[in-house]
Amino acid sequence: MEEKEMQPKENKMGVLPINQLLISMSVPIMLSMLVQALYNVVDSVFVSRVSENALNAVSLAFPVQNLMIAVATGTGVGINALLSKSLGEKKFDRANLTASNGVFLGICSYIVFAVLGALFARQFFLVQTNVAEIVEGGTAYIQVCTICSFGIFIAITVERLLQATGKTIYTMITQMLGAVINIIFDPIFIFVFDMGVVGAAWATVLGQIAGAILGIYFNAKKNTEITLSFKGFRPNGYIIKRIYSVGVPSIIMASIGSVMTFGLNKILIGFTTTATAVFGVYFKLQSFVFMPVFGLNNGMVPVVAYNFGARKPDRMIKTVKLAICYAVGIMVAGFAVFQLATPVLLGFFDASDYMLEIGVPALRTISYSFLFAGFCIVASSSFQALGHGVLSLIISLVRQLFVLLPAAWLLSLSGKLELVWWSFPIAEIFSVALSVVFLIYAYRKEVKPMLAETN
């Protein structure tokens, strides 16, 4: 019997109405990411009750955590794009190879970060500050997060396998389980067991491990379109190359955020350590705005990639247009909240009068960038789905390293902290311009020829 005859009917990504499909794919991920955002905020809220230095330790640790997530999710983007495209082309053997090699890459990534965290965590903090409480607390925090990071790498990888086949409801369940466990154990470890910052780290990794275990179960029992098997497994160079052709630009793009955060922390700490605490709080709060958009993107990428493989350009165009509308709407709502409720938001973190004094104008200024960011995020994900991840990389490089950091440094020379925050909206305007140019290029390169074929 031919392979095609043994396979299931057309995946829903090729037949469902676009709006229904995008909502069904994205909403579960958006909800789960909102819960993720909640536990990130709760984590910092509890830590802020220990001391401002404890909050600073977690804030300065953020680039390392972000780098781990960048590698895991970037690899996941490559897995997702190749797997969905393979299913659209009815190449099921390649889809299975993609899944197993993706898990292998997740394990390799964990080993690298575990070693780096064990050896260099203290040096990472000493480069940024000589405040003993921040260095000691931050070192212990990062060592737990990296040495036990197998949970996050496996969890993100198996979640991407579920997303690639359209089973986002299970992704929502795994992420929500991890978040709920984190929220429950945060106060227990931090206050009841008096573990402080280290308790927050243990609560985090415990949630990640639980999510990974449940994700493995869902893939084994519910994800019938792919077979995840390691019997006689050997790494496949061709598949790994294809995964990283899309994944590496995405990894670098997300890693740039770690470099930007590290650099900006160095600029801000020159004013006051409270400024870095404000910046750390901003990153926690903005996740409530950005996470739903990232969830929307995670639902959009497999739809675009699947229909790219299935040669259905009209469905690709409708998906991207609709995603842009939703993303911009979410960002406008986030902008309104940041403008109107900033003192209340900072109050959750036990903000001192001085922290409120510099934090309120900071968050309001940065939030102007939200008005442009929704469009740019969807555009970047569209490039990845079409196999042009390098375009996303260029936009991210320009925005964060060539515009945002230099602008922040130049504005800091004025000696006025409030001017430094304007580097965010300035950088986002450059990002919009590049995104428009690259969208036109991608349309002419990939979509227009397909439209000519179908007409």
Side-chain angles (χ1 to χ4, degrees):
M1 185 182 290
E2 292 183 1
E3 182 183 304
K4 261 188 167 182
E5 296 174 346
M6 297 171 62
Q7 302 305 329
K9 61 183 181 180
E10 175 90 19
N11 188 284
K12 68 178 182 179
M13 290 186 286
V15 293
L16 274 185
I18 294 299
N19 190 47
Q20 178 187 346
L21 177 62
L22 188 60
I23 290 174
S24 68
M25 291 282 288
S26 300
V27 168
I29 308 175
M30 292 166 72
L31 290 174
S32 63
M33 285 193 161
L34 277 172
V35 176
Q36 295 274 319
L38 176 63
Y39 91 69
N40 282 334
V41 169
V42 169
D43 214 35
S44 292
V45 167
F46 284 127
V47 168
S48 70
R49 264 53 181 184
V50 177
S51 69
E52 189 173 297
N53 278 339
L55 180 59
N56 258 311
V58 174
S59 298
L60 293 177
F62 180 77
V64 175
Q65 292 178 291
N66 189 61
L67 187 60
M68 288 193 295
I69 294 170
V71 172
T73 56
T75 304
V77 167
I79 296 167
N80 204 332
L82 180 58
L83 209 161
S84 296
K85 188 169 184 287
S86 299
L87 291 175
E89 295 170 339
K90 306 295 186 268
K91 296 180 178 177
F92 300 101
D93 285 342
R94 191 173 71 184
N96 291 333
L97 278 174
T98 301
S100 55
N101 278 271
V103 173
F104 168 74
L105 294 176
I107 294 170
C108 291
S109 299
Y110 156 66
I111 293 171
V112 170
F113 276 97
V115 172
L116 292 176
L119 296 178
F120 301 112
R122 180 175 296 275
Q123 287 80 354
F124 173 77
F125 278 91
L126 287 172
V127 168
Q128 299 181 84
T129 182
N130 58 3
V131 178
E133 186 182 353
I134 296 176
V135 173
E136 295 302 320
T139 299
Y141 182 86
I142 282 300
Q143 286 181 333
V144 172
C145 288
T146 52
I147 294 171
C148 299
S149 63
F150 58 88
I152 192 170
F153 281 106
I154 297 301
I156 290 176
T157 300
V158 295
E159 284 165 6
R160 291 306 182 271
L161 300 183
L162 292 164
Q163 288 173 13
T165 55
K167 295 173 177 61
T168 54
I169 187 68
Y170 299 115
T171 299
M172 179 184 73
I173 296 170
T174 59
Q175 290 189 356
M176 291 183 80
L177 173 68
V180 169
I181 287 177
N182 187 309
I183 291 170
I184 291 171
F185 282 95
D186 251 335
I188 295 174
F189 287 160
I190 293 172
F191 301 117
V192 178
F193 294 163
D194 196 26
M195 296 172 69
V197 173
V198 179
W202 279 112
T204 297
V205 300
L206 190 62
Q208 292 165 352
I209 292 168
I213 293 170
L214 188 59
I216 292 169
Y217 170 79
F218 281 145
N219 271 284
K221 299 297 183 181
K222 306 293 184 181
N223 208 0
T224 56
E225 291 185 80
I226 57 173
T227 302
L228 193 59
S229 174
F230 292 95
K231 186 177 181 180
F233 171 79
R234 303 180 83 179
N236 186 300
Y238 171 77
I239 294 295
I240 292 172
K241 182 179 178 182
R242 290 290 301 274
I243 289 172
Y244 278 140
S245 68
V246 174
V248 166
S250 183
I251 291 170
I252 297 173
M253 182 174 64
S255 301
I256 290 166
S258 294
V259 177
M260 182 275 291
T261 304
F262 180 84
L264 201 54
N265 276 330
K266 292 284 287 181
I267 293 170
L268 293 173
I269 211 165
F271 287 92
T272 169
T273 55
T274 304
T276 60
V278 167
F279 188 44
V281 167
Y282 159 72
F283 259 105
K284 300 296 183 178
L285 292 172
Q286 60 90 32
S287 62
F288 278 105
V289 184
F290 281 83
M291 284 296 191
V293 178
F294 293 147
L296 177 70
N297 274 4
N298 285 337
M300 181 199 74
V301 167
V303 175
V304 175
Y306 183 96
N307 286 286
F308 183 39
R311 313 294 288 178
K312 295 180 178 180
D314 288 336
R315 292 179 63 81
M316 294 162 56
I317 294 170
K318 288 178 183 177
T319 302
V320 172
K321 285 182 176 178
L322 199 57
I324 288 173
C325 291
Y326 285 138
V328 171
I330 292 168
M331 284 296 184
V332 169
F335 169 76
V337 172
F338 268 63
Q339 290 296 312
L340 299 174
T342 302
V344 176
L345 297 175
L346 287 170
F348 290 127
F349 297 87
D350 204 24
S352 63
D353 289 341
Y354 182 54
M355 190 172 177
L356 285 169
E357 180 186 337
I358 65 175
V360 170
L363 268 60
R364 285 176 176 166
T365 299
I366 296 173
S367 68
Y368 281 104
S369 64
F370 295 178
L371 300 175
F372 311 102
F375 171 82
C376 298
I377 292 170
V378 174
S380 289
S381 293
S382 301
F383 304 144
Q384 293 165 0
L386 295 173
H388 290 279
V390 70
L391 299 181
S392 301
L393 171 60
I394 292 171
I395 291 172
S396 192
L397 276 170
V398 170
R399 186 179 77 84
Q400 299 188 79
L401 296 190
F402 299 155
V403 180
L404 196 154
L405 268 184
W409 176 74
L410 288 171
L411 291 169
S412 72
L413 297 179
S414 68
K416 296 180 179 179
L417 176 61
E418 63 270 20
L419 293 182
V420 175
W421 310 115
W422 283 102
S423 57
F424 283 86
I426 290 170
E428 211 63 58
I429 291 170
F430 277 85
S431 182
V432 169
L434 270 180
S435 295
V436 170
V437 171
F438 289 162
L439 269 179
I440 294 171
Y441 167 80
Y443 173 81
R444 290 176 177 172
K445 174 89 173 170
E446 304 293 351
V447 182
K448 197 173 181 180
M450 261 194 254
L451 287 170
E453 289 175 12
T454 55
N455 292 334

